[in-house]
Amino acid sequence: MDNRTDPVEIIARVSENQGKQRALEVWLYKAHKEGWPVIVDSSSVDQPGNDCGVVAIEGLKYRIRHTKRVRRRVAIVPAGQHLIAAAVDSATGRSDGITWTWEFDHAAWAEPMIDDH
């Protein structure tokens, strides 16, 4: 039985600021680390949109995308207060003004390219 993580389950947390080139590189690294023989068919990191490129793994093709896909926790501080100052105040017991919420953040991930023919 194959114990490797399926390529569609490999999620590479890469911020939007790091860009699609970095997202593709990190996803490729993680896939290779899982033992997948990945061949890059094409790259679209310099094109608009969220596609990073197309890869082939053992005869199957996947589109690598860089979009909002993972959750991250976000601090909300009172108006006019800097996050670091609010964190220090909270840690020292002087204030509990920080509230927390969740939002989606960018990650690189593989989407299977399914041919319905």
Side-chain angles (χ1 to χ4, degrees), residues 9-24:
E9 295 176 359
I10 297 172
I11 306 292
R13 289 179 181 263
V14 179
S15 76
E16 183 178 20
N17 296 339
Q18 290 178 301
K20 294 191 310 182
Q21 177 68 41
R22 179 71 179 150
L24 179 61

Side-chain angles (χ1 to χ4, degrees), residues 59-112:
L60 298 175
K61 295 207 183 241
Y62 300 84
R63 182 174 314 284
I64 307 304
R65 304 187 58 165
H66 185 227
T67 62
K68 290 185 176 183
R69 172 83 182 209
V70 294
R71 293 166 43 113
R72 77 172 176 150
R73 202 158 181 224
V74 179
I76 300 172
V77 298
Q81 189 172 20
H82 191 277
L83 176 59
I84 294 173
V88 169
D89 287 348
S90 179
T92 58
R94 291 183 283 183
S95 169
D96 60 348
I98 298 177
T99 56
W100 295 91
T101 189
W102 293 95
E103 70 180 20
F104 287 110
D105 199 10
H106 278 73
W109 52 281
E111 178 179 272

Side-chain angles (χ1 to χ4, degrees), residues 12 14 18-32 40 45 52 64 108:
V14 179
Q18 290 178 301
K20 294 191 310 182
Q21 177 68 41
R22 179 71 179 150
L24 179 61
E25 291 168 355
V26 173
W27 190 90
L28 290 170
Y29 169 79
K30 287 183 155 241
H32 282 290
V40 177
V45 295
C52 297
I64 307 304

